[in-house]
Coordinates of all heavy atoms in Angstrom, one line a residue:
M1 N 17.0 9.2 35.5 CA 17.1 8.6 34.2 C 16.7 9.6 33.2 O 15.6 10.1 33.2 CB 16.2 7.3 34.2 CG 16.2 6.6 33.0 SD 15.2 5.0 33.3 CE 14.6 4.8 31.7
S2 N 17.5 9.8 32.2 CA 17.1 10.7 31.1 C 16.5 10.0 29.9 O 16.8 8.8 29.7 CB 18.4 11.5 30.7 OG 19.3 10.6 30.0
R3 N 15.7 10.7 29.2 CA 15.0 10.1 28.1 C 15.8 10.4 26.8 O 16.3 11.5 26.6 CB 13.6 10.6 28.0 CG 12.8 10.2 29.2 CD 11.5 10.9 29.2 NE 10.6 10.4 28.1 CZ 9.3 10.6 28.1 NH1 8.7 11.3 29.0 NH2 8.6 10.1 27.1
R4 N 15.9 9.5 25.9 CA 16.6 9.7 24.7 C 15.6 10.4 23.7 O 14.4 10.0 23.6 CB 17.0 8.3 24.1 CG 17.8 8.5 22.9 CD 18.5 7.2 22.5 NE 19.2 7.5 21.2 CZ 20.2 6.8 20.7 NH1 20.6 5.8 21.4 NH2 20.7 7.1 19.6
T5 N 16.1 11.3 22.9 CA 15.4 12.0 21.9 C 15.2 11.0 20.7 O 16.1 10.4 20.2 CB 16.1 13.3 21.4 OG1 16.2 14.1 22.6 CG2 15.2 14.0 20.4
V6 N 13.9 11.0 20.2 CA 13.6 10.1 19.1 C 13.0 10.9 17.9 O 12.1 11.8 18.2 CB 12.5 9.1 19.5 CG1 12.1 8.2 18.4 CG2 13.1 8.2 20.7
I7 N 13.5 10.8 16.7 CA 13.0 11.5 15.6 C 12.7 10.4 14.5 O 13.6 9.7 14.0 CB 14.1 12.5 15.0 CG1 14.4 13.5 16.1 CG2 13.5 13.2 13.8 CD1 15.5 14.4 15.7
F8 N 11.5 10.3 14.2 CA 11.0 9.4 13.1 C 10.3 10.3 12.1 O 9.6 11.2 12.4 CB 10.1 8.4 13.6 CG 10.8 7.1 14.1 CD1 11.5 7.2 15.3 CD2 10.7 5.9 13.4 CE1 12.2 6.1 15.8 CE2 11.3 4.8 13.9 CZ 12.1 4.9 15.1
G9 N 10.5 9.9 10.8 CA 9.8 10.7 9.8 C 9.0 9.7 8.9 O 9.4 8.6 8.7
N10 N 7.9 10.2 8.3 CA 7.2 9.4 7.3 C 6.9 10.4 6.1 O 6.8 11.6 6.3 CB 6.0 8.7 7.8 CG 4.9 9.6 8.2 OD1 4.4 10.4 7.4 ND2 4.3 9.4 9.4
W11 N 6.7 9.9 5.0 CA 6.5 10.7 3.8 C 5.1 10.4 3.2 O 4.9 10.7 2.0 CB 7.6 10.7 2.8 CG 8.2 9.3 2.5 CD1 7.8 8.5 1.5 CD2 9.2 8.7 3.2 NE1 8.5 7.4 1.5 CE2 9.5 7.4 2.5 CE3 10.1 9.0 4.2 CZ2 10.4 6.6 2.9 CZ3 11.0 8.1 4.6 CH2 11.2 6.9 3.9
K12 N 4.3 9.8 4.0 CA 2.9 9.5 3.5 C 3.0 8.9 2.1 O 3.7 8.0 1.9 CB 2.0 10.7 3.6 CG 1.8 11.2 5.0 CD 0.9 10.2 5.8 CE 0.6 10.8 7.2 NZ 0.3 9.8 8.1
M13 N 2.3 9.5 1.2 CA 2.3 9.0 -0.2 C 3.0 10.0 -1.2 O 2.6 10.2 -2.3 CB 0.9 8.8 -0.6 CG 0.2 7.7 0.2 SD -1.5 7.5 -0.1 CE -2.2 9.1 0.5
N14 N 4.0 10.7 -0.7 CA 4.7 11.8 -1.5 C 5.9 11.3 -2.2 O 6.4 12.1 -3.0 CB 5.0 12.9 -0.6 CG 3.8 13.6 -0.1 OD1 2.9 14.0 -0.8 ND2 3.6 13.8 1.3
L15 N 6.4 10.1 -2.0 CA 7.5 9.6 -2.8 C 7.2 8.3 -3.4 O 6.4 7.5 -2.9 CB 8.7 9.4 -1.8 CG 9.3 10.6 -1.1 CD1 10.4 10.2 -0.2 CD2 9.7 11.7 -2.1
D16 N 7.8 8.0 -4.6 CA 7.7 6.7 -5.2 C 8.8 5.8 -4.6 O 9.6 6.2 -3.8 CB 7.7 6.8 -6.7 CG 9.0 7.4 -7.2 OD1 10.0 7.5 -6.5 OD2 9.1 7.7 -8.5
L17 N 8.8 4.5 -5.1 CA 9.8 3.6 -4.6 C 11.2 4.1 -4.8 O 12.0 4.0 -3.8 CB 9.6 2.2 -5.3 CG 10.6 1.2 -4.9 CD1 10.7 0.9 -3.4 CD2 10.4 -0.1 -5.7
K18 N 11.6 4.5 -6.0 CA 12.9 4.9 -6.2 C 13.3 6.1 -5.3 O 14.4 6.1 -4.7 CB 13.1 5.3 -7.7 CG 14.5 5.7 -8.1 CD 14.6 6.1 -9.5 CE 16.0 6.6 -9.8 NZ 16.2 7.0 -11.2
S19 N 12.5 7.1 -5.2 CA 12.8 8.2 -4.3 C 12.9 7.8 -2.9 O 13.7 8.4 -2.1 CB 11.7 9.3 -4.5 OG 11.7 9.8 -5.8
S20 N 12.1 6.9 -2.4 CA 12.1 6.4 -1.1 C 13.4 5.7 -0.8 O 14.0 6.0 0.3 CB 11.0 5.4 -0.8 OG 9.7 6.0 -1.0
V21 N 13.9 4.9 -1.7 CA 15.2 4.2 -1.5 C 16.3 5.2 -1.5 O 17.3 5.1 -0.7 CB 15.4 3.1 -2.5 CG1 16.8 2.5 -2.5 CG2 14.3 2.0 -2.3
V22 N 16.3 6.2 -2.4 CA 17.3 7.2 -2.5 C 17.4 8.0 -1.2 O 18.5 8.2 -0.6 CB 17.1 8.1 -3.7 CG1 18.0 9.4 -3.6 CG2 17.4 7.4 -5.0
L23 N 16.2 8.4 -0.6 CA 16.2 9.1 0.6 C 16.7 8.3 1.8 O 17.6 8.8 2.6 CB 14.7 9.5 0.9 CG 14.5 10.2 2.3 CD1 15.3 11.5 2.4 CD2 13.0 10.4 2.5
A24 N 16.3 7.0 1.8 CA 16.8 6.1 2.9 C 18.3 6.0 2.8 O 19.0 6.0 3.9 CB 16.1 4.8 2.8
K25 N 18.9 5.7 1.6 CA 20.3 5.6 1.5 C 21.1 6.8 1.9 O 22.1 6.8 2.5 CB 20.7 5.2 0.1 CG 20.3 3.7 -0.2 CD 20.8 3.4 -1.7 CE 20.5 1.9 -1.9 NZ 20.9 1.5 -3.3
S26 N 20.5 8.0 1.5 CA 21.1 9.3 1.8 C 21.2 9.4 3.4 O 22.2 9.8 3.9 CB 20.3 10.4 1.2 OG 20.9 11.6 1.6
L27 N 20.0 9.2 4.0 CA 20.0 9.3 5.5 C 21.0 8.3 6.1 O 21.7 8.6 7.1 CB 18.6 9.0 6.0 CG 17.6 10.1 5.7 CD1 16.2 9.6 6.1 CD2 17.9 11.4 6.5
A28 N 21.0 7.0 5.6 CA 21.9 6.0 6.2 C 23.3 6.4 6.1 O 24.1 6.1 7.0 CB 21.6 4.7 5.5
G29 N 23.7 7.1 5.0 CA 25.1 7.6 4.8 C 25.4 8.8 5.7 O 26.6 9.1 5.9
R30 N 24.4 9.4 6.3 CA 24.7 10.6 7.0 C 24.6 10.4 8.6 O 25.1 11.2 9.3 CB 23.7 11.7 6.7 CG 23.9 12.2 5.2 CD 22.8 13.2 4.9 NE 23.0 13.6 3.5 CZ 22.8 14.7 3.0 NH1 22.3 15.7 3.8 NH2 22.9 15.0 1.7
I31 N 23.9 9.4 9.0 CA 23.6 9.2 10.4 C 24.7 8.2 10.9 O 24.8 7.1 10.5 CB 22.2 8.6 10.7 CG1 21.1 9.5 10.1 CG2 22.0 8.4 12.2 CD1 21.0 10.9 10.6
A32 N 25.5 8.7 11.9 CA 26.5 7.9 12.4 C 26.0 7.1 13.6 O 25.0 7.4 14.2 CB 27.7 8.8 12.9
G33 N 26.7 6.0 13.9 CA 26.3 5.1 15.0 C 26.3 5.8 16.3 O 25.6 5.3 17.2
D34 N 27.0 6.9 16.5 CA 27.1 7.6 17.8 C 26.2 8.8 17.8 O 26.3 9.7 18.6 CB 28.5 8.0 18.1 CG 29.1 8.9 17.1 OD1 28.5 9.1 16.0 OD2 30.2 9.5 17.4
C35 N 25.2 8.8 16.9 CA 24.2 9.9 16.8 C 23.5 10.0 18.2 O 23.1 9.0 18.8 CB 23.2 9.6 15.7 SG 22.0 10.9 15.5
P36 N 23.4 11.2 18.7 CA 22.8 11.4 20.0 C 21.3 11.3 20.1 O 20.7 11.3 21.1 CB 23.2 12.9 20.4 CG 23.3 13.5 19.0 CD 23.8 12.5 18.1
V37 N 20.6 11.1 18.9 CA 19.2 10.8 18.9 C 18.9 9.5 18.2 O 19.7 9.1 17.3 CB 18.4 12.0 18.2 CG1 18.6 13.3 19.0 CG2 18.8 12.2 16.8
E38 N 17.8 8.9 18.5 CA 17.3 7.7 17.7 C 16.6 8.2 16.5 O 15.7 9.0 16.5 CB 16.4 6.9 18.6 CG 15.9 5.6 18.0 CD 15.0 4.9 18.9 OE1 15.0 5.2 20.1 OE2 14.4 3.9 18.4
V39 N 17.0 7.7 15.3 CA 16.5 8.2 14.0 C 15.8 7.0 13.3 O 16.3 5.9 13.3 CB 17.6 8.7 13.1 CG1 17.0 9.1 11.8 CG2 18.3 9.9 13.8
G40 N 14.6 7.3 12.8 CA 13.9 6.2 12.1 C 13.1 6.8 10.9 O 12.8 8.0 10.9
V41 N 12.7 5.9 10.0 CA 11.8 6.3 8.9 C 10.7 5.3 8.9 O 10.8 4.2 9.3 CB 12.6 6.3 7.6 CG1 13.6 7.4 7.5 CG2 13.2 5.0 7.3
C42 N 9.5 5.8 8.4 CA 8.3 5.0 8.3 C 7.7 5.2 6.9 O 6.9 6.0 6.7 CB 7.3 5.4 9.4 SG 7.8 5.2 11.1
P43 N 8.2 4.4 6.0 CA 7.7 4.5 4.6 C 6.4 3.8 4.4 O 6.0 3.1 5.3 CB 8.8 3.8 3.8 CG 9.3 2.7 4.7 CD 9.3 3.4 6.1
P44 N 5.7 4.1 3.3 CA 4.5 3.3 3.0 C 4.8 1.8 3.1 O 5.9 1.4 2.7 CB 4.1 3.8 1.6 CG 4.7 5.1 1.5 CD 6.0 5.1 2.3
F45 N 3.8 1.0 3.4 CA 4.0 -0.4 3.6 C 4.6 -1.1 2.3 O 5.4 -1.9 2.5 CB 2.6 -1.1 3.9 CG 2.6 -2.5 3.9 CD1 3.2 -3.2 5.0 CD2 2.2 -3.3 2.8 CE1 3.2 -4.6 5.0 CE2 2.2 -4.7 2.8 CZ 2.8 -5.3 3.9
V46 N 4.2 -0.7 1.2 CA 4.7 -1.3 -0.1 C 6.2 -1.1 -0.3 O 6.8 -1.8 -1.1 CB 3.8 -0.9 -1.3 CG1 2.4 -1.4 -1.2 CG2 3.9 0.6 -1.5
Y47 N 6.7 -0.1 0.4 CA 8.2 0.1 0.3 C 9.0 -0.3 1.5 O 10.2 -0.1 1.5 CB 8.4 1.6 0.1 CG 7.7 2.3 -1.0 CD1 7.3 3.6 -1.0 CD2 7.3 1.6 -2.2 CE1 6.6 4.2 -2.0 CE2 6.6 2.2 -3.2 CZ 6.3 3.5 -3.1 OH 5.6 4.1 -4.1
L48 N 8.4 -0.9 2.4 CA 9.1 -1.3 3.7 C 10.3 -2.2 3.4 O 11.4 -1.8 4.0 CB 8.2 -2.1 4.6 CG 7.3 -1.2 5.6 CD1 6.3 -2.1 6.3 CD2 8.2 -0.4 6.5
A49 N 10.2 -3.2 2.7 CA 11.3 -4.1 2.5 C 12.5 -3.4 1.8 O 13.7 -3.6 2.2 CB 10.9 -5.3 1.7
D50 N 12.2 -2.6 0.8 CA 13.3 -1.9 0.0 C 14.0 -0.9 0.9 O 15.2 -0.7 0.9 CB 12.7 -1.3 -1.2 CG 12.2 -2.3 -2.2 OD1 13.0 -2.9 -2.9 OD2 10.9 -2.5 -2.3
V51 N 13.2 -0.1 1.6 CA 13.7 0.9 2.5 C 14.5 0.2 3.6 O 15.6 0.7 4.0 CB 12.6 1.8 3.1 CG1 13.2 2.7 4.2 CG2 12.1 2.7 1.9
A52 N 14.1 -0.8 4.2 CA 14.8 -1.6 5.2 C 16.1 -2.0 4.7 O 17.2 -1.9 5.4 CB 14.0 -2.7 5.7
R53 N 16.2 -2.5 3.5 CA 17.5 -3.0 2.9 C 18.4 -1.8 2.7 O 19.6 -1.9 2.9 CB 17.2 -3.6 1.5 CG 16.9 -5.1 1.6 CD 17.0 -5.8 0.3 NE 16.0 -5.4 -0.6 CZ 14.7 -5.8 -0.6 NH1 14.3 -6.7 0.3 NH2 13.8 -5.4 -1.5
A54 N 17.8 -0.6 2.3 CA 18.6 0.6 2.1 C 19.2 1.1 3.4 O 20.3 1.7 3.4 CB 17.8 1.7 1.5
C55 N 18.6 0.8 4.5 CA 19.0 1.3 5.9 C 19.9 0.2 6.6 O 20.4 0.5 7.7 CB 17.8 1.7 6.7 SG 17.0 3.1 6.1
Q56 N 19.9 -1.0 6.0 CA 20.6 -2.1 6.7 C 22.1 -1.7 7.0 O 22.8 -1.1 6.2 CB 20.6 -3.3 5.8 CG 20.9 -4.6 6.5 CD 20.6 -5.8 5.7 OE1 20.4 -5.7 4.5 NE2 20.4 -6.9 6.3
G57 N 22.5 -2.0 8.2 CA 23.9 -1.7 8.6 C 24.0 -0.3 9.2 O 25.1 0.1 9.6
S58 N 23.0 0.5 9.1 CA 23.0 1.9 9.7 C 22.2 1.9 11.0 O 21.5 0.9 11.2 CB 22.4 2.9 8.7 OG 21.0 2.9 8.7
P59 N 22.3 2.9 11.7 CA 21.6 3.0 13.0 C 20.1 3.4 12.8 O 19.3 3.5 13.7 CB 22.3 4.0 13.8 CG 23.0 4.9 12.8 CD 23.3 4.0 11.7
I60 N 19.7 3.6 11.5 CA 18.3 4.1 11.2 C 17.4 2.9 11.4 O 17.6 1.8 10.9 CB 18.2 4.6 9.8 CG1 19.1 5.9 9.7 CG2 16.8 5.0 9.5 CD1 19.1 6.5 8.3
E61 N 16.3 3.2 12.2 CA 15.3 2.2 12.4 C 14.2 2.4 11.4 O 14.0 3.5 10.9 CB 14.7 2.3 13.8 CG 15.8 2.1 14.9 CD 15.3 1.8 16.2 OE1 14.1 1.3 16.3 OE2 16.0 2.0 17.2
V62 N 13.5 1.3 11.0 CA 12.5 1.3 10.0 C 11.2 0.9 10.7 O 11.1 -0.2 11.3 CB 12.8 0.5 8.8 CG1 11.7 0.5 7.8 CG2 14.1 0.9 8.1
G63 N 10.1 1.7 10.5 CA 8.8 1.3 11.0 C 7.8 1.5 9.9 O 8.1 1.9 8.8
A64 N 6.6 1.2 10.3 CA 5.5 1.3 9.3 C 4.6 2.5 9.7 O 4.6 3.0 10.8 CB 4.6 0.0 9.3
Q65 N 3.8 3.0 8.7 CA 2.9 4.0 9.0 C 1.5 3.5 8.7 O 1.3 2.5 8.0 CB 3.2 5.3 8.1 CG 3.1 5.0 6.6 CD 3.5 6.2 5.8 OE1 4.4 7.0 6.2 NE2 2.9 6.4 4.7
N66 N 0.5 4.3 9.1 CA -0.9 3.9 8.9 C -1.2 4.1 7.4 O -0.4 4.7 6.7 CB -1.8 4.6 9.8 CG -1.8 6.1 9.7 OD1 -1.0 6.6 9.0 ND2 -2.7 6.7 10.4
M67 N -2.4 3.7 7.0 CA -2.8 3.9 5.6 C -3.7 5.1 5.5 O -4.3 5.6 6.5 CB -3.4 2.7 5.1 CG -4.5 2.1 5.9 SD -5.0 0.5 5.3 CE -6.2 0.9 4.1
N68 N -4.0 5.5 4.3 CA -4.8 6.7 4.0 C -5.6 6.3 2.7 O -5.1 5.7 1.8 CB -3.9 7.9 3.7 CG -4.7 9.2 3.7 OD1 -5.8 9.2 3.4 ND2 -4.0 10.2 4.1
L69 N -6.9 6.8 2.7 CA -7.7 6.6 1.6 C -7.5 7.5 0.4 O -8.0 7.3 -0.7 CB -9.2 6.7 2.0 CG -9.7 5.6 3.0 CD1 -11.1 6.0 3.5 CD2 -9.6 4.3 2.5
E70 N -6.7 8.6 0.6 CA -6.5 9.6 -0.4 C -5.5 9.0 -1.5 O -4.8 8.0 -1.3 CB -5.9 10.8 0.2 CG -6.7 11.5 1.2 CD -8.1 11.9 0.7 OE1 -8.2 12.4 -0.5 OE2 -9.1 11.8 1.4
D71 N -5.5 9.6 -2.6 CA -4.6 9.2 -3.7 C -3.2 9.7 -3.5 O -2.3 9.0 -4.0 CB -5.1 9.7 -5.1 CG -6.4 9.1 -5.5 OD1 -6.7 7.9 -5.1 OD2 -7.2 9.7 -6.3
S72 N -3.0 10.8 -2.9 CA -1.6 11.3 -2.6 C -1.6 12.2 -1.4 O -2.7 12.6 -1.0 CB -1.1 12.0 -3.9 OG -1.8 13.2 -4.1
G73 N -0.4 12.6 -1.0 CA -0.3 13.6 0.0 C -0.5 13.2 1.5 O -0.8 12.3 2.0

């Protein structure tokens, strides 16, 4: 049994809502359903619903990331 390659990315607190949605839509437009790897994004919690909508209908999975006490980065 072979294992599937999984690539998930998060951007911590480096993007605002608009940039998060633009990134998600861009990825959704580039990742095909027959992609040989599992692709996902983990935006900040406050952007989850918007990013999930931007990825809807694409093979991109959406997950959550942990929180940070810092102001950015």
Side-chain angles (χ1 to χ4, degrees):
M1 181 171 148
S2 66
R3 295 171 73 164
R4 184 168 176 157
T5 302
V6 178
I7 301 173
F8 273 69
N10 71 51
W11 43 93
K12 297 288 183 204
M13 298 174 290
N14 292 307
L15 298 177
D16 61 11
L17 174 60
K18 182 178 178 182
S19 298
S20 295
V21 170
V22 167
L23 175 62
K25 284 182 179 180
S26 175
L27 289 171
R30 294 173 185 217
I31 305 297
D34 61 348
C35 185
V37 299
E38 184 177 345
V39 178
V41 294
C42 298
F45 174 77
V46 295
Y47 306 152
L48 273 174
D50 295 284
V51 170
R53 274 192 294 280
C55 293
Q56 197 167 19
S58 80
I60 296 177
E61 298 197 27
V62 179
Q65 64 184 32
N66 62 352
M67 51 189 276
N68 192 332
L69 296 174
E70 301 299 324
D71 291 334
S72 65

